[in-house]
Amino acid sequence: EGSTLAIDQRITVFINYSGAYPLLKTEYYINNKYMGAVQKAPYTYSFIPQDVDSIVRGTNTISITAYDVVYNKTTRQIQYIVN
């Protein structure tokens, strides 16, 4: 499991990308609920857990799907605890 975070703490997800093709966009999901996409650098996403309906106290998962300009995609998941 990942970090333990306060329910009122701002969380910012930073993308570190290297690939054969430029990055086109990133999509963000919290506990399988689509939260939005970013289509320009620096491809960061911020949220405060208490403002997101799908977040619970305890273990949560954020998934990031990155697409390059030829639509190759990769997904990573990060688990974190909200208290």
Side-chain angles (χ1 to χ4, degrees):
E1 295 193 9
S3 301
T4 298
L5 307 165
I7 196 150
D8 60 351
Q9 178 180 352
R10 178 170 294 282
I11 299 168
T12 301
V13 179
F14 297 93
I15 302 300
N16 183 9
Y17 172 81
S18 62
Y21 300 100
L23 196 57
L24 176 67
K25 72 175 179 175
T26 53
E27 295 178 339
Y28 300 88
Y29 299 81
I30 297 177
N31 297 332
N32 296 318
K33 181 179 178 186
Y34 177 76
M35 300 305 297
V38 177
Q39 298 182 343
K40 62 181 180 177
Y43 301 101
T44 60
Y45 178 73
S46 294
F47 64 97
I48 299 172
Q50 68 187 7
D51 297 338
V52 180
D53 293 341
S54 64
I55 290 181
V56 297
R57 289 188 185 265
T59 303
N60 293 270
T61 302
I62 185 165
S63 300
I64 304 103
T65 301
Y67 297 85
D68 65 20
V69 295
V70 295
Y71 286 94
N72 293 313
K73 76 174 184 177
T74 187
T75 300
R76 297 288 183 260
Q77 293 186 335
I78 303 165
Q79 286 192 331
Y80 57 96
I81 298 168
V82 172
N83 63 18

Coordinates of all heavy atoms in Angstrom, one line a residue:
E1 N 0.8 -1.2 0.0 CA 0.0 0.0 0.0 C 0.9 1.2 0.0 O 2.0 1.2 0.4 CB -0.9 0.0 1.2 CG -1.9 -1.1 1.1 CD -3.1 -1.0 2.1 OE1 -3.2 0.0 2.7 OE2 -3.8 -2.0 2.2
G2 N 0.3 2.3 -0.4 CA 1.0 3.6 -0.5 C 0.9 4.4 0.7 O 0.8 4.0 1.8
S3 N 1.0 5.7 0.5 CA 1.0 6.7 1.6 C -0.3 6.8 2.3 O -1.3 6.5 1.8 CB 1.3 8.1 1.0 OG 2.6 8.0 0.3
T4 N -0.2 7.3 3.6 CA -1.4 7.6 4.3 C -1.6 9.1 4.3 O -0.7 9.9 4.5 CB -1.3 7.2 5.8 OG1 -1.1 5.7 5.8 CG2 -2.5 7.5 6.6
L5 N -2.8 9.5 3.8 CA -3.1 10.9 3.6 C -4.3 11.4 4.4 O -5.2 10.6 4.6 CB -3.4 11.2 2.1 CG -2.2 10.6 1.2 CD1 -2.7 10.6 -0.2 CD2 -1.0 11.5 1.3
A6 N -4.3 12.7 4.8 CA -5.5 13.2 5.5 C -6.6 13.5 4.5 O -6.4 13.8 3.3 CB -5.1 14.5 6.2
I7 N -7.9 13.3 4.9 CA -9.0 13.5 4.0 C -9.1 14.9 3.5 O -9.7 15.1 2.4 CB -10.3 13.1 4.7 CG1 -11.4 12.9 3.7 CG2 -10.7 14.1 5.8 CD1 -12.4 11.9 4.1
D8 N -8.5 15.9 4.1 CA -8.6 17.3 3.6 C -7.2 17.7 3.0 O -7.0 18.9 2.7 CB -9.0 18.2 4.8 CG -8.0 18.2 5.9 OD1 -7.1 17.3 6.0 OD2 -8.1 19.1 6.8
Q9 N -6.3 16.8 2.7 CA -5.0 17.1 2.2 C -5.1 17.1 0.6 O -5.6 16.1 0.0 CB -4.0 16.0 2.6 CG -2.6 16.2 2.1 CD -1.7 15.1 2.6 OE1 -2.0 14.3 3.5 NE2 -0.5 15.0 2.1
R10 N -4.6 18.1 0.0 CA -4.5 18.1 -1.5 C -3.5 17.1 -1.9 O -2.4 17.1 -1.5 CB -4.1 19.5 -2.0 CG -4.0 19.5 -3.5 CD -3.9 20.9 -4.1 NE -5.1 21.7 -3.9 CZ -6.2 21.6 -4.6 NH1 -6.3 20.6 -5.6 NH2 -7.3 22.3 -4.4
I11 N -3.9 16.3 -2.9 CA -3.0 15.3 -3.5 C -2.8 15.7 -5.0 O -3.7 16.0 -5.7 CB -3.7 13.9 -3.5 CG1 -3.9 13.5 -2.0 CG2 -2.8 12.9 -4.2 CD1 -4.8 12.3 -1.9
T12 N -1.5 15.7 -5.4 CA -1.2 16.0 -6.8 C -0.4 14.8 -7.3 O 0.6 14.4 -6.7 CB -0.3 17.3 -6.9 OG1 -1.1 18.4 -6.3 CG2 0.0 17.6 -8.3
V13 N -0.9 14.4 -8.5 CA -0.2 13.2 -9.2 C 0.6 13.8 -10.3 O 0.1 14.6 -11.1 CB -1.3 12.3 -9.7 CG1 -0.6 11.1 -10.5 CG2 -2.2 11.8 -8.6
F14 N 1.9 13.5 -10.3 CA 2.8 14.0 -11.3 C 3.1 12.8 -12.3 O 3.3 11.7 -11.8 CB 4.1 14.5 -10.7 CG 3.9 15.7 -9.9 CD1 3.7 15.6 -8.5 CD2 3.9 17.0 -10.4 CE1 3.5 16.7 -7.7 CE2 3.7 18.1 -9.6 CZ 3.5 17.9 -8.3
I15 N 3.2 13.0 -13.5 CA 3.5 12.0 -14.5 C 4.9 12.1 -14.9 O 5.4 13.2 -15.3 CB 2.6 12.1 -15.8 CG1 1.1 12.0 -15.4 CG2 2.9 11.1 -16.8 CD1 0.7 10.7 -14.7
N16 N 5.7 11.0 -14.9 CA 7.0 11.0 -15.4 C 7.0 10.0 -16.6 O 6.8 8.8 -16.4 CB 8.0 10.5 -14.3 CG 9.4 10.5 -14.8 OD1 9.8 11.0 -15.9 ND2 10.3 9.9 -14.0
Y17 N 7.1 10.5 -17.8 CA 6.9 9.7 -19.0 C 8.1 9.8 -19.9 O 8.7 10.8 -20.1 CB 5.7 10.3 -19.8 CG 5.5 9.7 -21.2 CD1 4.9 8.4 -21.3 CD2 6.0 10.3 -22.3 CE1 4.7 7.9 -22.5 CE2 5.8 9.7 -23.5 CZ 5.2 8.5 -23.7 OH 5.0 7.9 -24.9
S18 N 8.5 8.6 -20.4 CA 9.5 8.5 -21.5 C 9.0 7.4 -22.4 O 8.7 6.3 -22.0 CB 10.9 8.3 -20.9 OG 10.9 7.0 -20.3
G19 N 9.0 7.7 -23.7 CA 8.5 6.7 -24.6 C 9.0 7.1 -26.0 O 9.5 8.2 -26.3
A20 N 8.7 6.2 -27.0 CA 9.1 6.4 -28.4 C 8.3 7.5 -29.0 O 8.8 8.2 -29.9 CB 9.0 5.1 -29.2
Y21 N 7.1 7.8 -28.5 CA 6.2 8.8 -29.1 C 5.8 9.8 -28.1 O 5.7 9.4 -26.9 CB 5.0 8.1 -29.7 CG 5.3 7.1 -30.8 CD1 5.3 5.8 -30.5 CD2 5.6 7.5 -32.1 CE1 5.6 4.8 -31.5 CE2 5.9 6.6 -33.1 CZ 5.9 5.3 -32.8 OH 6.2 4.4 -33.8
P22 N 5.5 11.0 -28.5 CA 5.1 12.0 -27.5 C 3.8 11.6 -26.8 O 2.9 10.9 -27.4 CB 4.9 13.3 -28.3 CG 5.7 13.0 -29.6 CD 5.6 11.6 -29.8
L23 N 3.6 12.1 -25.6 CA 2.4 11.8 -24.8 C 1.3 12.7 -25.4 O 1.4 13.8 -25.7 CB 2.7 12.1 -23.4 CG 1.7 11.6 -22.3 CD1 1.6 10.1 -22.4 CD2 2.1 12.0 -20.9
L24 N 0.1 12.1 -25.5 CA -1.1 12.8 -26.0 C -2.0 13.2 -24.9 O -2.4 14.3 -24.8 CB -1.9 11.9 -27.0 CG -3.2 12.4 -27.5 CD1 -2.9 13.6 -28.5 CD2 -3.9 11.3 -28.3
K25 N -2.3 12.3 -24.0 CA -3.2 12.6 -22.8 C -3.0 11.6 -21.7 O -2.5 10.5 -21.9 CB -4.6 12.7 -23.3 CG -5.3 11.4 -23.6 CD -6.8 11.5 -23.9 CE -7.4 10.2 -24.3 NZ -8.8 10.3 -24.4
T26 N -3.5 12.0 -20.6 CA -3.6 11.1 -19.4 C -5.0 11.1 -18.9 O -5.7 12.2 -18.9 CB -2.6 11.5 -18.3 OG1 -2.8 12.9 -18.0 CG2 -1.2 11.3 -18.8
E27 N -5.5 10.0 -18.4 CA -6.8 9.9 -17.8 C -6.7 9.4 -16.4 O -5.8 8.6 -16.1 CB -7.7 8.9 -18.6 CG -8.0 9.3 -20.0 CD -8.9 8.3 -20.7 OE1 -8.9 7.1 -20.3 OE2 -9.5 8.6 -21.7
Y28 N -7.5 9.9 -15.5 CA -7.4 9.7 -14.1 C -8.7 9.1 -13.6 O -9.8 9.5 -13.9 CB -7.1 11.0 -13.3 CG -5.8 11.6 -13.8 CD1 -5.8 12.4 -14.9 CD2 -4.6 11.2 -13.2 CE1 -4.6 12.9 -15.4 CE2 -3.4 11.7 -13.7 CZ -3.4 12.6 -14.8 OH -2.2 13.1 -15.2
Y29 N -8.6 8.0 -12.8 CA -9.7 7.3 -12.2 C -9.4 7.1 -10.7 O -8.3 6.8 -10.3 CB -9.9 5.9 -12.8 CG -10.1 5.9 -14.3 CD1 -9.1 6.1 -15.2 CD2 -11.4 5.8 -14.8 CE1 -9.3 6.1 -16.6 CE2 -11.7 5.8 -16.2 CZ -10.6 6.0 -17.1 OH -10.9 6.0 -18.4
I30 N -10.4 7.3 -9.9 CA -10.3 7.1 -8.5 C -11.3 6.0 -8.1 O -12.5 6.2 -8.3 CB -10.5 8.3 -7.6 CG1 -9.4 9.3 -8.0 CG2 -10.5 8.0 -6.1 CD1 -9.5 10.7 -7.3
N31 N -10.8 4.9 -7.6 CA -11.7 3.7 -7.3 C -12.6 3.4 -8.5 O -13.8 3.2 -8.3 CB -12.5 4.0 -6.0 CG -11.6 4.2 -4.8 OD1 -10.5 3.6 -4.8 ND2 -12.0 5.0 -3.8
N32 N -12.0 3.4 -9.7 CA -12.7 3.0 -10.9 C -13.7 4.1 -11.4 O -14.4 3.8 -12.4 CB -13.4 1.6 -10.8 CG -12.4 0.5 -10.6 OD1 -11.3 0.5 -11.2 ND2 -12.7 -0.4 -9.7
K33 N -13.7 5.2 -10.8 CA -14.6 6.3 -11.3 C -13.8 7.3 -12.1 O -12.8 7.8 -11.6 CB -15.3 7.0 -10.1 CG -16.2 8.1 -10.6 CD -16.9 8.8 -9.4 CE -17.8 9.9 -9.9 NZ -18.4 10.7 -8.8
Y34 N -14.2 7.6 -13.3 CA -13.5 8.5 -14.2 C -13.5 9.9 -13.6 O -14.6 10.4 -13.2 CB -14.1 8.5 -15.6 CG -13.5 9.5 -16.5 CD1 -12.3 9.2 -17.1 CD2 -14.1 10.7 -16.8 CE1 -11.7 10.1 -18.0 CE2 -13.6 11.6 -17.7 CZ -12.4 11.3 -18.3 OH -11.8 12.2 -19.2
M35 N -12.3 10.5 -13.4 CA -12.3 11.8 -12.8 C -11.9 12.9 -13.8 O -12.1 14.1 -13.6 CB -11.2 11.8 -11.7 CG -11.5 10.8 -10.6 SD -13.1 11.0 -9.8 CE -13.0 12.6 -9.1
G36 N -11.3 12.6 -15.0 CA -11.0 13.6 -16.0 C -9.7 13.2 -16.7 O -9.1 12.2 -16.5
A37 N -9.4 14.1 -17.7 CA -8.2 13.9 -18.5 C -7.5 15.2 -18.6 O -8.0 16.2 -18.5 CB -8.6 13.4 -19.9
V38 N -6.2 15.0 -18.9 CA -5.3 16.2 -19.1 C -4.6 15.9 -20.4 O -4.1 14.9 -20.7 CB -4.2 16.3 -18.0 CG1 -3.3 17.5 -18.3 CG2 -4.9 16.5 -16.6
Q39 N -4.7 17.0 -21.3 CA -4.2 16.8 -22.7 C -3.0 17.7 -23.0 O -2.7 17.9 -24.2 CB -5.4 17.0 -23.7 CG -6.4 16.0 -23.5 CD -7.6 16.1 -24.5 OE1 -7.7 17.1 -25.1 NE2 -8.3 15.0 -24.6
K40 N -2.4 18.2 -22.0 CA -1.2 19.0 -22.2 C -0.2 18.9 -21.0 O -0.7 18.7 -19.9 CB -1.5 20.5 -22.5 CG -2.2 21.2 -21.4 CD -2.6 22.7 -21.8 CE -3.3 23.3 -20.6 NZ -3.6 24.7 -20.9
A41 N 1.0 19.1 -21.3 CA 2.0 19.1 -20.3 C 1.7 20.2 -19.2 O 1.2 21.2 -19.6 CB 3.4 19.3 -20.9
P42 N 1.9 19.9 -18.0 CA 2.8 18.9 -17.4 C 2.0 17.6 -17.0 O 2.5 16.8 -16.2 CB 3.3 19.6 -16.1 CG 2.3 20.5 -15.7 CD 1.6 21.0 -17.0
Y43 N 0.8 17.4 -17.4 CA 0.0 16.2 -17.2 C -0.1 15.8 -15.7 O 0.0 14.7 -15.3 CB 0.6 15.0 -17.9 CG 0.7 15.2 -19.4 CD1 1.8 15.5 -20.1 CD2 -0.5 15.1 -20.2 CE1 1.9 15.8 -21.4 CE2 -0.4 15.3 -21.6 CZ 0.8 15.6 -22.2 OH 0.8 15.8 -23.5
T44 N -0.4 16.8 -14.9 CA -0.6 16.6 -13.5 C -2.1 16.7 -13.1 O -2.9 17.3 -13.9 CB 0.1 17.7 -12.6 OG1 -0.4 19.0 -13.0 CG2 1.6 17.6 -12.8
Y45 N -2.5 16.0 -12.1 CA -3.9 16.0 -11.6 C -3.9 16.2 -10.1 O -3.1 15.5 -9.4 CB -4.6 14.7 -12.0 CG -6.0 14.6 -11.5 CD1 -7.0 15.3 -12.1 CD2 -6.3 13.8 -10.4 CE1 -8.3 15.2 -11.7 CE2 -7.6 13.7 -10.0 CZ -8.6 14.4 -10.6 OH -9.9 14.3 -10.2
S46 N -4.7 17.1 -9.6 CA -4.8 17.4 -8.2 C -6.3 17.2 -7.7 O -7.2 17.5 -8.4 CB -4.4 18.8 -7.9 OG -3.1 19.0 -8.1
F47 N -6.4 16.7 -6.4 CA -7.7 16.6 -5.8 C -7.6 16.6 -4.3 O -6.5 16.4 -3.8 CB -8.4 15.3 -6.3 CG -7.7 14.1 -5.9 CD1 -8.1 13.4 -4.8 CD2 -6.7 13.6 -6.7 CE1 -7.5 12.2 -4.4 CE2 -6.0 12.4 -6.3 CZ -6.4 11.7 -5.2
I48 N -8.7 16.9 -3.6 CA -8.7 16.8 -2.2 C -9.7 15.6 -1.9 O -10.9 15.7 -2.4 CB -9.2 18.1 -1.6 CG1 -8.2 19.2 -1.9 CG2 -9.4 17.9 0.0 CD1 -8.7 20.6 -1.5
P49 N -9.3 14.6 -1.2 CA -10.1 13.4 -1.0 C -11.6 13.7 -0.5 O -12.5 13.1 -1.0 CB -9.4 12.6 0.0 CG -8.0 12.9 -0.2 CD -8.0 14.4 -0.6
Q50 N -11.8 14.6 0.4 CA -13.1 14.9 0.9 C -14.0 15.5 -0.2 O -15.3 15.4 0.0 CB -13.1 15.8 2.1 CG -12.6 17.2 1.8 CD -12.5 18.1 3.1 OE1 -12.5 17.6 4.2 NE2 -12.2 19.3 2.9
D51 N -13.5 15.9 -1.3 CA -14.3 16.5 -2.4 C -14.7 15.4 -3.4 O -15.3 15.8 -4.4 CB -13.6 17.6 -3.1 CG -13.3 18.8 -2.1 OD1 -14.1 18.9 -1.1 OD2 -12.4 19.6 -2.4
V52 N -14.2 14.2 -3.3 CA -14.4 13.2 -4.3 C -15.4 12.1 -3.7 O -15.0 11.4 -2.7 CB -13.1 12.5 -4.7 CG1 -13.3 11.4 -5.7 CG2 -12.1 13.6 -5.3
D53 N -16.5 12.0 -4.3 CA -17.6 11.0 -3.8 C -17.1 9.6 -3.7 O -17.5 8.9 -2.8 CB -18.8 11.1 -4.7 CG -19.5 12.4 -4.6 OD1 -19.3 13.1 -3.6 OD2 -20.3 12.7 -5.5
S54 N -16.2 9.1 -4.6 CA -15.9 7.7 -4.6 C -14.8 7.4 -3.6 O -14.4 6.2 -3.5 CB -15.4 7.3 -6.0 OG -14.3 8.0 -6.4
I55 N -14.2 8.3 -2.9 CA -13.2 8.1 -1.9 C -13.8 7.7 -0.6 O -14.7 8.3 -0.1 CB -12.2 9.3 -1.8 CG1 -11.4 9.4 -3.1 CG2 -11.3 9.1 -0.6 CD1 -10.4 10.5 -3.1
V56 N -13.2 6.7 0.0 CA -13.6 6.2 1.4 C -12.4 6.3 2.3 O -11.3 6.4 1.9 CB -14.1 4.8 1.3 CG1 -15.3 4.6 0.4 CG2 -13.0 3.8 0.9
R57 N -12.7 6.4 3.6 CA -11.6 6.3 4.6 C -11.1 4.9 4.5 O -11.9 3.9 4.5 CB -12.1 6.6 6.0 CG -12.5 8.1 6.1 CD -12.8 8.5 7.6 NE -13.2 9.8 7.7 CZ -12.3 10.8 8.0 NH1 -11.1 10.6 8.2 NH2 -12.8 12.1 8.1
G58 N -9.8 4.8 4.5 CA -9.2 3.4 4.3 C -8.5 3.4 2.9 O -8.0 4.5 2.4
T59 N -8.4 2.3 2.3 CA -7.6 2.1 1.1 C -8.4 2.5 -0.1 O -9.5 2.1 -0.3 CB -7.1 0.6 1.0 OG1 -6.4 0.3 2.1 CG2 -6.3 0.4 -0.3
N60 N -7.7 3.3 -1.0 CA -8.3 3.8 -2.2 C -7.2 3.5 -3.3 O -6.0 3.3 -3.0 CB -8.6 5.3 -2.1 CG -9.7 5.5 -1.2 OD1 -10.9 5.6 -1.5 ND2 -9.3 5.8 0.1
T61 N -7.7 3.6 -4.6 CA -6.8 3.4 -5.7 C -7.0 4.5 -6.7 O -8.1 4.8 -7.1 CB -7.0 2.0 -6.4 OG1 -6.9 1.0 -5.4 CG2 -6.1 1.8 -7.5
I62 N -5.9 5.1 -7.2 CA -5.9 6.0 -8.3 C -5.3 5.3 -9.5 O -4.2 4.6 -9.3 CB -5.3 7.4 -8.0 CG1 -5.5 8.3 -9.2 CG2 -3.8 7.2 -7.7 CD1 -5.2 9.7 -8.9
S63 N -5.9 5.3 -10.6 CA -5.4 4.7 -11.8 C -5.1 5.8 -12.8 O -6.0 6.7 -13.0 CB -6.4 3.7 -12.4 OG -6.7 2.7 -11.5
I64 N -4.0 5.7 -13.5 CA -3.6 6.7 -14.5 C -3.4 5.9 -15.8 O -2.6 5.0 -15.8 CB -2.3 7.5 -14.1 CG1 -2.5 8.1 -12.7 CG2 -2.0 8.5 -15.2 CD1 -1.8 7.4 -11.6
T65 N -4.1 6.3 -16.8 CA -3.9 5.7 -18.1 C -3.3 6.8 -19.0 O -3.9 7.9 -19.2 CB -5.2 5.2 -18.7 OG1 -5.7 4.2 -17.9 CG2 -5.0 4.6 -20.1
A66 N -2.2 6.5 -19.6 CA -1.5 7.5 -20.5 C -1.5 6.9 -21.9 O -1.3 5.7 -22.2 CB 0.0 7.6 -20.1
Y67 N -1.9 7.8 -22.9 CA -1.9 7.5 -24.3 C -0.9 8.3 -25.0 O -0.7 9.6 -24.8 CB -3.3 7.9 -24.9 CG -4.4 7.2 -24.3 CD1 -5.0 7.6 -23.1 CD2 -4.9 6.0 -24.9 CE1 -6.1 6.9 -22.6 CE2 -6.0 5.3 -24.4 CZ -6.6 5.8 -23.2 OH -7.7 5.1 -22.7
D68 N -0.1 7.7 -25.9 CA 0.8 8.5 -26.8 C 0.1 8.9 -28.1 O -1.1 8.5 -28.2 CB 2.1 7.8 -27.0 CG 2.0 6.5 -27.8 OD1 1.0 6.3 -28.5 OD2 2.9 5.7 -27.7
V69 N 0.8 9.6 -28.9 CA 0.1 10.1 -30.1 C -0.3 9.0 -31.1 O -1.1 9.3 -32.0 CB 1.0 11.2 -30.9 CG1 1.2 12.4 -30.0 CG2 2.3 10.6 -31.3
V70 N 0.2 7.8 -31.0 CA -0.3 6.7 -31.9 C -1.2 5.8 -31.1 O -1.5 4.7 -31.5 CB 0.9 5.9 -32.5 CG1 1.6 6.8 -33.5 CG2 1.8 5.3 -31.5
Y71 N -1.7 6.2 -30.0 CA -2.7 5.6 -29.1 C -2.3 4.3 -28.5 O -3.1 3.4 -28.1 CB -4.1 5.4 -29.8 CG -4.8 6.7 -30.0 CD1 -4.6 7.5 -31.1 CD2 -5.6 7.2 -28.9 CE1 -5.3 8.7 -31.2 CE2 -6.2 8.4 -29.0 CZ -6.0 9.2 -30.2 OH -6.7 10.4 -30.3
N72 N -0.9 4.1 -28.3 CA -0.5 3.1 -27.4 C -0.9 3.6 -26.0 O -0.9 4.8 -25.7 CB 1.1 3.0 -27.4 CG 1.6 2.5 -28.7 OD1 1.1 1.5 -29.2 ND2 2.6 3.1 -29.3
K73 N -1.2 2.7 -25.1 CA -1.6 3.1 -23.8 C -1.0 2.2 -22.7 O -0.7 1.1 -23.0 CB -3.1 3.1 -23.6 CG -3.8 1.8 -23.5 CD -5.3 2.0 -23.2 CE -5.9 0.6 -22.9 NZ -7.4 0.8 -22.6
T74 N -0.8 2.8 -21.6 CA -0.3 2.1 -20.4 C -1.1 2.6 -19.2 O -1.4 3.8 -19.1 CB 1.2 2.3 -20.2 OG1 1.7 1.4 -19.2 CG2 1.6 3.7 -19.9
T75 N -1.3 1.7 -18.3 CA -2.0 2.1 -17.0 C -1.2 1.7 -15.8 O -0.7 0.6 -15.8 CB -3.4 1.4 -17.0 OG1 -4.2 1.8 -18.1 CG2 -4.2 1.8 -15.7
R76 N -1.2 2.6 -14.9 CA -0.5 2.4 -13.6 C -1.5 2.6 -12.5 O -2.4 3.6 -12.6 CB 0.7 3.2 -13.4 CG 1.8 3.0 -14.4 CD 2.5 1.7 -14.1 NE 3.6 1.5 -15.0 CZ 3.5 0.7 -16.1 NH1 2.4 0.1 -16.5 NH2 4.6 0.6 -16.9
Q77 N -1.4 1.9 -11.4 CA -2.3 2.1 -10.2 C -1.5 2.4 -9.0 O -0.4 1.8 -8.8 CB -3.2 0.9 -10.0 CG -4.2 0.6 -11.1 CD -5.1 -0.5 -10.7 OE1 -4.8 -1.4 -10.0 NE2 -6.3 -0.5 -11.3
I78 N -2.0 3.3 -8.2 CA -1.3 3.6 -6.9 C -2.4 3.5 -5.8 O -3.5 4.1 -5.9 CB -0.8 5.0 -6.9 CG1 0.2 5.2 -8.1 CG2 -0.2 5.4 -5.6 CD1 0.4 6.7 -8.4
Q79 N -2.1 2.7 -4.8 CA -3.0 2.6 -3.7 C -2.5 3.6 -2.6 O -1.3 3.8 -2.4 CB -3.0 1.2 -3.1 CG -3.8 0.2 -4.0 CD -4.0 -1.1 -3.3 OE1 -3.3 -1.5 -2.4 NE2 -5.1 -1.7 -3.6
Y80 N -3.5 4.2 -1.9 CA -3.2 5.1 -0.8 C -4.3 5.0 0.3 O -5.4 4.5 0.0 CB -3.0 6.5 -1.3 CG -4.2 7.0 -2.0 CD1 -5.2 7.8 -1.3 CD2 -4.5 6.7 -3.3 CE1 -6.3 8.2 -1.9 CE2 -5.6 7.2 -4.0 CZ -6.5 7.9 -3.3 OH -7.7 8.3 -3.9
I81 N -4.0 5.4 1.5 CA -4.9 5.3 2.6 C -5.3 6.7 2.9 O -4.5 7.6 3.1 CB -4.3 4.6 3.8 CG1 -3.9 3.2 3.4 CG2 -5.2 4.6 5.0 CD1 -3.0 2.5 4.4
V82 N -6.6 6.9 3.1 CA -7.2 8.1 3.6 C -7.7 7.9 5.0 O -8.4 7.0 5.3 CB -8.3 8.6 2.7 CG1 -9.0 9.8 3.2 CG2 -7.8 8.9 1.3
N83 N -7.3 8.8 5.9 CA -7.8 8.7 7.3 C -8.4 10.0 7.7 O -8.4 11.0 7.0 CB -6.7 8.3 8.2 CG -5.5 9.3 8.3 OD1 -5.6 10.4 7.9 ND2 -4.4 8.8 8.8

